[in-house]
Amino acid sequence: MESKFDSKEWSSGVWTHFTDVRRRSPLVQCITNLVSMDLVANTLLSAGASPAMVHSVAEVPDFTPHVHALCVNVGTLTPDWLPSMKAAAELASQLGKPWVLDPAAVSCSGFRLKACLELVELKPSVIKGNGSEIIALSSASQGHTKGADSSHESTEAIEAAKSLALSSGAVVAVSGAVDIVTDGKRVIGVHNGTKMMQKITATGCSLSGLVAAFLAVDPLHPLEATVSAMSIFGIAGELGEEMANGPASLRMHLIDSLYGLDETTVLSRVKITRLG
Amino acid sequence: MESKFDSKEWSSGVWTHFTDVRRRSPLVQCITNLVSMDLVANTLLSAGASPAMVHSVAEVPDFTPHVHALCVNVGTLTPDWLPSMKAAAELASQLGKPWVLDPAAVSCSGFRLKACLELVELKPSVIKGNGSEIIALSSASQGHTKGADSSHESTEAIEAAKSLALSSGAVVAVSGAVDIVTDGKRVIGVHNGTKMMQKITATGCSLSGLVAAFLAVDPLHPLEATVSAMSIFGIAGELGEEMANGPASLRMHLIDSLYGLDETTVLSRVKITRLG
Amino acid sequence: MESKFDSKEWSSGVWTHFTDVRRRSPLVQCITNLVSMDLVANTLLSAGASPAMVHSVAEVPDFTPHVHALCVNVGTLTPDWLPSMKAAAELASQLGKPWVLDPAAVSCSGFRLKACLELVELKPSVIKGNGSEIIALSSASQGHTKGADSSHESTEAIEAAKSLALSSGAVVAVSGAVDIVTDGKRVIGVHNGTKMMQKITATGCSLSGLVAAFLAVDPLHPLEATVSAMSIFGIAGELGEEMANGPASLRMHLIDSLYGLDETTVLSRVKITRLG
């Protein structure tokens, strides 16, 4: 029954997903923004996945068929990058490979909003953004949010997320103090993570890459895989913050913690609830 | 009277500027080079500002009107990036928004020198470079300096800086062992910072971004805002170096220190003098 | 006699090369991939070299004649970057400047393989890749290896490396548990480094940049210079790992260690053998 929520089962699922990523080391193609490439790649490597920052449209037909998942992030979008994003997304969808859309700063321009709407048409498995991004994409109306940072709490975006999930067919994830994940029917809250992670650039992009890696090992359960990835990344952040003196040492300890995470720590820290 | 220099007043001004950046969290658009994006964004986040690495010419008309300041850095300039730099700079100037030009490695090619001269025409609020860059830009003659590093002390560039300030209308800042800031009349020296910061790539670019954030909260006093940003960044570097074992740990501790800086530390460490 | 291998002499050569890099601070132009720019630049700075990430074809004619070595890395190749790589490589060869080709993920597409074969024609001094890359480039047949990671041990690539060295005229270096360096006749093994370095993105690219810096100070002995660079980078990694808790702290300690390396440590740790 859908309304029953077994918290122990979810915790165990998080660990199983993570173990699968480490064991199978999925190849994840990332067409991401220029700011985040380094941290996205290091996040995936630390989690045991195999990142490939291949973004040329000239390489998509040869390369994308070999990947296990794809992540597309529009954070520094220019018109010359869009064709490769579309080509890779279309190919991934055709071949039944899971892919993640991160509509970073979607409402910063009409060009970017239009591009994201076109990418949504190509059937992402998961759309992951902050509250403002999900609200903007869901309403498809061009607001002017503040750069890449969110001016909405994730919980304010629940209805928008559900509506976007239903219209797009994607699982929608909203990062925030509480991360929200919904398939339009179920709404799950992930309560891991720390506030200081927002003071490090590209943590959101890195999480999107990690979601793709988790989807790669469980493509038929995008909601569960997304919840697991968000919980694992949040736990690594919590452990990192215990050792950190500021955002730069948090960044280092976050990646180290992700690399070293063990079962006992994960099971004791996973905090997932059913919100709807 | 201009010749009177109240060191206590300047120290207090540095802290006020920094507090304003933290409180108002200005949105700073950075069209910077590919090497520095990560560190520039993290510097701005740690200082409390909100960075936006939006560089597509397709997004400038929609986005630039909403930013509080702009930073343009030509460190990895290619012909296809120049139009967006010019468009953003022109729009910023028209709308009365402060903007910083960092003529990184200006003399490495005729193409880059020409591009920088064109950008100077678009009325930057501040031009910030090392000694060699400011001398080259000021003389507008193409020398061949050594890559991105300076072969001139900042103090050798004082006359060139004054002359460039007078001809361009911009405040000119020269980074070095002593940072120089001039509006063509006053010449201020900032004695904070450490030598090892030059062994970290993109610290200069990050400082330019930080100057833009400080300009955003005090656009009518570009000289004072620039001095404040240079002093704060230098102090963060000094604190960082006390904990560092080399350039990479310095980089981490610098950002952490910037995030954690308090009033007592700032007031006791600010070192600003009147040089002319 | 070529078959005689004096281990003490090689150790001393490693230190001499490194001292020369620190003393002469060669200017190294890097046309590298978007993921690695930050770490490549910081590696070169920590080693005492002067990096210049100048990649525009518009700047090659003015800039490349002034550099001491060039590094070309195709890790995020797109058709618009290829002309500048070729122009810089061609100019370097014409002017007798050493240059390194890093055929990163060469077999991920037909486009990339073709580009690498064209670059090989422009007479690199050194070709440096992992086992899979060297095998793929050597056979010039398009396989489908797994992203940027190697699915071959370096030792499996010895014959391919020798064959590529002989056909291209370049020294060929294969990174792995044991690094292999060959000029087609001699085969040298470098046994420094640690496994966890593979969990940090861009360490391979950074090593390629470092090889270029070492070539710059000893262009007539590309095999020896390459061996020295690989040994130094490996030793910095070993020292780093002793202090590290995971890949991100290893990355920091690696760079710090490279910056601080002294003669006693280097001489006691160099591990080079003659393999053929």
Side-chain angles (χ1 to χ4, degrees):
Chain A
M1 271 176 48
E2 231 172 59
S3 58
K4 200 164 161 294
F5 183 84
D6 184 333
S7 143
K8 213 162 178 181
E9 199 176 298
W10 279 84
S11 298
S12 144
V14 170
W15 179 249
T16 303
H17 279 136
F18 190 32
T19 304
D20 282 353
V21 169
R22 284 178 168 172
R23 189 169 44 85
R24 291 161 61 181
S25 191
L27 180 60
V28 182
Q29 181 180 6
C30 301
I31 308 183
T32 188
N33 65 69
L34 298 168
V35 190
S36 70
M37 288 191 177
D38 175 276
L39 193 61
V40 174
N42 280 318
T43 298
L44 286 169
L45 284 169
S46 294
S50 184
M53 312 331 251
V54 173
H55 72 274
S56 174
V57 71
E59 302 197 303
V60 165
D62 284 356
F63 187 69
T64 304
H66 297 279
V67 306
H68 301 113
L70 167 72
C71 179
V72 172
N73 177 309
V74 299
T76 54
L77 191 65
T78 48
D80 56 324
W81 279 60
L82 190 53
S84 66
M85 291 178 179
K86 286 187 182 174
E90 190 155 23
L91 198 47
S93 287
Q94 278 170 12
L95 300 172
K97 292 171 194 292
W99 75 278
V100 177
L101 172 62
D102 186 333
V106 56
S107 56
C108 82
S109 75
F111 162 68
R112 197 178 297 205
L113 179 60
K114 184 168 172 291
C116 285
L117 292 171
E118 289 165 3
L119 287 163
V120 169
E121 293 296 313
L122 299 173
K123 299 286 171 203
S125 317
V126 175
I127 301 171
K128 201 232 75 177
N130 62 34
S132 296
E133 289 157 359
I134 296 302
I135 289 169
L137 191 57
S138 193
S139 67
S141 70
Q142 188 188 338
H144 287 292
T145 64
K146 200 174 170 197
D149 300 327
S150 183
S151 50
H152 294 88
E153 287 300 319
S154 56
T155 42
E156 296 176 67
I158 291 182
E159 289 314 310
K162 286 172 76 171
S163 154
L164 180 60
L166 291 172
S167 66
S168 69
V171 162
V172 175
V174 192
S175 56
V178 180
D179 297 324
I180 306 293
V181 187
T182 181
D183 58 6
K185 289 167 286 181
R186 292 173 292 172
V187 181
I188 309 293
V190 182
H191 305 259
N192 296 112
T194 83
K195 203 175 158 56
M196 205 200 280
M197 291 167 79
Q198 294 170 21
K199 291 292 176 187
I200 313 167
T201 198
T203 44
C205 314
S206 298
L207 176 52
S208 296
L210 198 64
V211 168
F214 277 62
L215 285 175
V217 300
D218 194 4
L220 298 181
H221 300 96
L223 181 130
E224 288 81 357
T226 302
V227 165
S228 291
M230 293 183 112
S231 181
I232 286 288
F233 196 66
I235 291 170
E238 292 168 12
L239 295 171
E241 183 147 330
E242 289 173 9
M243 292 175 278
N245 295 312
S249 50
L250 173 55
R251 175 178 158 148
M252 181 181 76
H253 292 304
L254 163 67
I255 297 296
D256 278 2
S257 297
L258 185 57
Y259 180 77
L261 265 187
D262 60 35
E263 185 173 8
T264 311
T265 309
V266 169
L267 293 185
S268 68
R269 284 191 175 258
V270 168
K271 202 168 166 196
I272 298 169
T273 59
R274 180 84 186 243
L275 299 178
Chain B
M1 270 176 49
E2 232 173 59
S3 59
K4 200 164 160 295
F5 183 84
D6 185 331
S7 142
K8 213 160 178 181
E9 201 176 297
W10 279 84
S11 299
S12 143
V14 170
W15 178 249
T16 304
H17 279 135
F18 191 32
T19 304
D20 282 353
V21 169
R22 285 177 168 173
R23 189 170 43 86
R24 292 162 61 182
S25 190
L27 179 59
V28 182
Q29 181 180 6
C30 300
I31 308 184
T32 188
N33 67 68
L34 298 169
V35 191
S36 70
M37 288 191 177
D38 175 275
L39 193 61
V40 174
N42 279 319
T43 298
L44 286 169
L45 284 168
S46 294
S50 184
M53 314 329 253
V54 173
H55 72 274
S56 174
V57 71
E59 301 196 303
V60 165
D62 284 356
F63 187 69
T64 304
H66 298 278
V67 306
H68 301 113
L70 166 72
C71 179
V72 171
N73 178 309
V74 298
T76 54
L77 190 65
T78 48
D80 55 324
W81 278 60
L82 190 52
S84 66
M85 291 179 178
K86 286 186 182 176
E90 191 155 22
L91 198 47
S93 287
Q94 278 170 11
L95 300 172
K97 292 171 194 293
W99 74 278
V100 177
L101 171 63
D102 185 333
V106 56
S107 55
C108 81
S109 75
F111 162 68
R112 196 178 297 205
L113 180 60
K114 184 166 173 289
C116 286
L117 292 171
E118 289 165 3
L119 287 163
V120 169
E121 292 297 313
L122 299 173
K123 299 286 170 204
S125 316
V126 174
I127 301 170
K128 202 232 74 177
N130 62 33
S132 297
E133 289 157 359
I134 296 302
I135 289 169
L137 191 57
S138 192
S139 66
S141 69
Q142 189 187 339
H144 287 291
T145 64
K146 200 174 170 198
D149 300 327
S150 183
S151 50
H152 295 88
E153 287 299 320
S154 57
T155 42
E156 295 176 67
I158 291 182
E159 288 315 311
K162 286 172 75 171
S163 155
L164 180 59
L166 290 172
S167 66
S168 68
V171 163
V172 175
V174 191
S175 56
V178 180
D179 297 324
I180 306 293
V181 187
T182 181
D183 57 6
K185 290 166 285 180
R186 292 173 291 171
V187 181
I188 309 294
V190 182
H191 304 260
N192 295 113
T194 82
K195 204 175 157 58
M196 205 200 280
M197 291 167 79
Q198 293 169 22
K199 292 292 176 187
I200 313 167
T201 198
T203 44
C205 314
S206 299
L207 176 52
S208 296
L210 198 65
V211 168
F214 277 62
L215 285 174
V217 299
D218 194 4
L220 298 181
H221 300 96
L223 182 130
E224 288 80 358
T226 302
V227 165
S228 291
M230 293 184 112
S231 181
I232 287 288
F233 196 66
I235 290 170
E238 292 167 14
L239 295 172
E241 182 146 332
E242 289 173 9
M243 291 175 279
N245 295 312
S249 50
L250 173 55
R251 174 178 159 148
M252 180 181 76
H253 292 304
L254 164 66
I255 297 297
D256 278 2
S257 297
L258 185 58
Y259 180 78
L261 265 186
D262 61 34
E263 185 172 9
T264 311
T265 309
V266 169
L267 293 185
S268 68
R269 284 189 175 258
V270 168
K271 203 168 166 196
I272 298 169
T273 59
R274 180 85 185 243
L275 300 178
Chain C
M1 269 175 50
E2 232 173 57
S3 59
K4 198 161 162 295
F5 183 85
D6 184 332
S7 143
K8 213 161 178 181
E9 199 176 299
W10 279 83
S11 298
S12 144
V14 170
W15 179 248
T16 303
H17 279 137
F18 190 32
T19 304
D20 282 353
V21 169
R22 284 177 168 173
R23 190 169 42 87
R24 291 161 62 182
S25 192
L27 179 60
V28 182
Q29 182 180 5
C30 301
I31 309 184
T32 188
N33 66 68
L34 298 169
V35 190
S36 71
M37 288 191 177
D38 176 276
L39 193 61
V40 173
N42 279 318
T43 298
L44 286 168
L45 284 168
S46 295
S50 184
M53 314 329 254
V54 173
H55 72 273
S56 174
V57 71
E59 301 196 304
V60 165
D62 284 356
F63 187 69
T64 304
H66 298 278
V67 307
H68 301 113
L70 168 72
C71 179
V72 171
N73 177 309
V74 299
T76 54
L77 190 65
T78 48
D80 55 325
W81 278 61
L82 190 53
S84 66
M85 291 179 179
K86 285 187 182 176
E90 190 154 24
L91 198 48
S93 287
Q94 279 169 12
L95 300 172
K97 292 172 194 293
W99 74 279
V100 177
L101 171 63
D102 185 333
V106 55
S107 55
C108 82
S109 75
F111 162 68
R112 197 177 296 204
L113 179 61
K114 184 166 173 289
C116 285
L117 292 171
E118 290 165 2
L119 287 163
V120 169
E121 293 296 313
L122 299 173
K123 299 286 170 202
S125 316
V126 175
I127 300 170
K128 202 231 75 178
N130 62 34
S132 297
E133 289 157 0
I134 296 303
I135 289 169
L137 191 57
S138 192
S139 67
S141 69
Q142 188 188 337
H144 287 292
T145 64
K146 199 174 171 198
D149 300 326
S150 183
S151 49
H152 295 87
E153 287 299 319
S154 57
T155 42
E156 296 177 67
I158 291 182
E159 288 315 311
K162 286 173 77 172
S163 154
L164 180 59
L166 290 173
S167 66
S168 69
V171 163
V172 175
V174 191
S175 56
V178 180
D179 297 325
I180 306 292
V181 186
T182 181
D183 57 6
K185 289 167 284 181
R186 292 173 291 171
V187 181
I188 309 294
V190 182
H191 304 260
N192 295 112
T194 82
K195 202 175 158 56
M196 205 200 280
M197 291 166 80
Q198 294 169 23
K199 291 292 177 188
I200 313 167
T201 198
T203 44
C205 314
S206 298
L207 177 52
S208 296
L210 198 64
V211 168
F214 277 62
L215 286 174
V217 299
D218 195 4
L220 298 180
H221 300 96
L223 181 130
E224 288 80 357
T226 302
V227 165
S228 291
M230 293 183 112
S231 181
I232 287 289
F233 196 66
I235 290 169
E238 292 168 12
L239 295 171
E241 183 147 330
E242 289 173 10
M243 291 176 279
N245 294 313
S249 51
L250 173 54
R251 173 178 160 147
M252 181 181 76
H253 292 304
L254 163 67
I255 297 296
D256 279 2
S257 297
L258 184 58
Y259 180 77
L261 265 186
D262 60 34
E263 185 172 8
T264 311
T265 309
V266 169
L267 293 185
S268 68
R269 283 190 175 258
V270 168
K271 203 168 167 196
I272 298 169
T273 59
R274 181 83 185 244
L275 300 179

